[in-house]
Amino acid sequence: MKKRLSEQQEFEILKLVLDKFLWIGFIFIGFGLYQMFATSILVGLIWSVVGISLLILFMLLLIKEYELIR
């Protein structure tokens, strides 16, 4: 028989996972800004777009998981 998580436990686990998405997204954006200054604007822009894509994925996961838009 499988144990079910309470809503609070499920929320805590989701916070831990999504927090990593936030950190990784901002790290990619920061690295992209560094690359813009160090090498070329195009390379930095690509890294920044990857970071922004991760943050958009984070937003979509939140909306899907918690049905924020009804």
Side-chain angles (χ1 to χ4, degrees):
M1 184 186 272
K2 292 184 178 181
K3 281 181 83 174
R4 291 277 185 197
L5 295 175
S6 69
E7 277 190 35
Q8 182 64 27
Q9 290 170 326
E10 187 178 315
F11 179 72
E12 291 297 322
I13 291 172
L14 187 69
K15 277 194 329 187
L16 290 171
V17 170
L18 294 179
D19 183 50
K20 303 305 182 254
F21 274 108
L22 276 174
W23 277 110
I24 292 171
F26 283 116
I27 287 171
F28 276 117
I29 291 172
F31 185 69
L33 289 174
Y34 168 74
Q35 289 295 320
M36 281 184 194
F37 292 117
T39 59
S40 71
I41 291 178
L42 182 62
V43 173
L45 191 63
I46 291 170
W47 282 105
S48 295
V49 168
V50 169
I52 290 168
S53 299
L54 283 173
L55 292 177
I56 290 172
L57 177 65
F58 166 73
M59 179 186 67
L60 293 175
L61 283 173
L62 275 178
I63 289 171
K64 181 183 172 214
E65 184 68 28
Y66 288 101
E67 299 171 2
L68 296 174
I69 298 176
R70 295 179 189 226

